[in-house]
């Protein structure tokens, strides 16, 4: 069996009991490796990976779409090869596997021949709301979640959550007007930052940046 397991935003204390159990029971831990020299996944899981067989698969964070698709196919082929041998595999995913996660593409390729199961995890947006002391939405309101923003876009009038927004901070600051807006960076990890969008420094880029703009 292949399990895509959400492990939360990066704080080991936010791992679910089910996630911990499946990791402990796994024969192999397969994780995405962007070849940056470190992995937030392995840093988060820490001692849970002791004595575990680790298998990194290359998933590029940038580049052209053809290379990106080829990388996912190669990773899926590796997973299928291990599943053919009867291995019990856990693929840890930051946050939740159902929200803008590369694991969804892998599952689409692997489930054609092998069963897969998704185990949900806590998302950065939910942790951000908790840490900032704000609701993501209240009765009768809508929430729009998007994975990027650029200056050519117009912010919806609803509550908006923009993930992976580290490169868009200046554009977002100039687009929110008088609305209440918040930002978090590396939430649950080292070098965590959280507060008002207007106060977040723009010269310290992180892929793990989320902005919340209120209705």
């Amino acid at each position: 069996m292949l399990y895509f397991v959400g492990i939360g935003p990066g704080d080991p204390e936010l791992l679910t009991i089910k996630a911990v159990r499946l990791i402990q029971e796994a024969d192999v831990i397969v994780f995405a490796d962007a070849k940056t020299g470190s992995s937030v996944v392995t840093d988060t899981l820490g001692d849970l990976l002791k004595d575990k067989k680790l298998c990194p698969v290359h998933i590029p964070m940038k580049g052209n779409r053809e290379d990106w698709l080829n990388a996912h196919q190669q990773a899926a082929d590796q997973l299928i090869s291990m599943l053919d041998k009867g291995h019990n595999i856990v693929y840890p995913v930051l946050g939740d596997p159902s929200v803008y996660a590369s694991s969804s593409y892998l599952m689409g390729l692997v489930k054609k021949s092998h069963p897969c199961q998704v185990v949900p995890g806590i998302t950065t947006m939910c942790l951000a709301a908790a840490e900032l002391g704000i609701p993501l939405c209240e009765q009768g309101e809508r929430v729009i979640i998007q994975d990027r923003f650029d200056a050519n876009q117009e912010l919806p009038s609803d509550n908006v959550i923009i993930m992976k927004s580290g490169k868009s901070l200046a554009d977002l600051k100039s687009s929110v007007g008088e609305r209440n807006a918040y930002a978090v960076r590396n939430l649950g990890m080292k070098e965590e930052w959280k507060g008002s969008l207007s106060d977040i420094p723009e010269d310290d880029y992180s892929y793990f940046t989320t902005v919340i703009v209120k209705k």
Side-chain angles (χ1 to χ4, degrees):
M1 174 69 83
L2 171 58
Y3 297 92
F4 292 100
V5 177
I7 62 170
D11 182 349
E13 292 188 341
L14 294 178
L15 283 163
T16 65
I17 294 173
K18 187 169 187 177
V20 171
R21 176 178 63 80
L22 290 173
I23 290 166
Q24 290 173 335
E25 295 175 352
D27 300 318
V28 185
I29 305 295
V30 178
F31 62 95
D33 176 18
K35 294 187 176 179
T36 59
S38 63
S39 169
V40 178
V41 168
T42 54
D43 290 345
T44 300
L45 297 181
D47 289 343
L48 281 174
L49 300 180
K50 186 178 180 181
D51 300 325
K52 288 292 179 183
K53 180 179 180 181
L54 305 181
C55 179
V57 292
H58 178 51
I59 303 293
M61 304 296 285
K62 57 185 177 180
N64 63 59
R65 183 167 178 78
E66 183 177 355
D67 290 342
W68 185 81
L69 291 172
N70 287 337
H72 279 80
Q73 185 61 64
Q74 291 176 23
D77 290 342
Q78 288 179 258
L79 289 165
I80 290 169
S81 177
M82 286 183 277
L83 289 166
D84 285 341
K85 297 174 183 176
H87 290 313
N88 184 42
I89 303 171
V90 164
Y91 187 104
V93 181
L94 283 171
D96 183 277
S98 302
V99 182
Y100 292 122
S102 64
S103 58
S104 60
Y105 303 97
L106 293 176
M107 186 169 70
L109 295 168
V110 174
K111 70 179 182 181
K112 298 173 184 178
S113 57
H114 291 277
C116 302
Q117 183 176 331
V118 172
V119 178
I122 294 173
T123 62
T124 295
M125 68 186 83
C126 290
L127 178 59
E131 291 287 316
L132 293 165
I134 61 171
L136 290 179
C137 54
E138 297 180 285
Q139 187 175 22
E141 295 181 350
R142 297 189 302 179
V143 178
I144 295 176
I145 304 169
Q146 55 192 65
D147 67 339
R148 58 179 58 87
F149 179 84
D150 61 56
N152 297 321
Q153 289 181 278
E154 183 176 342
L155 276 173
S157 59
D158 303 278
N159 299 295
V160 188
I161 300 164
I162 306 101
M163 302 172 64
K164 308 174 185 178
S165 53
K167 294 182 178 179
S168 307
L169 294 173
D171 290 334
L172 283 164
K173 287 178 180 181
S174 63
S175 299
V176 298
E178 298 300 317
R179 295 167 66 177
N180 291 327
Y182 308 87
V184 296
R185 174 188 286 151
N186 301 331
L187 195 59
M189 311 175 196
K190 296 178 181 178
E191 301 178 353
E192 173 183 288
W193 192 99
K194 58 188 176 185
S196 172
L197 172 63
S198 61
D199 294 334
I200 187 172
E202 298 171 25
D203 57 354
D204 187 13
Y205 168 76
S206 172
Y207 177 82
F208 302 109
T209 303
T210 298
V211 170
I212 300 173
V213 183
K214 295 298 293 177
K215 178 178 169 62

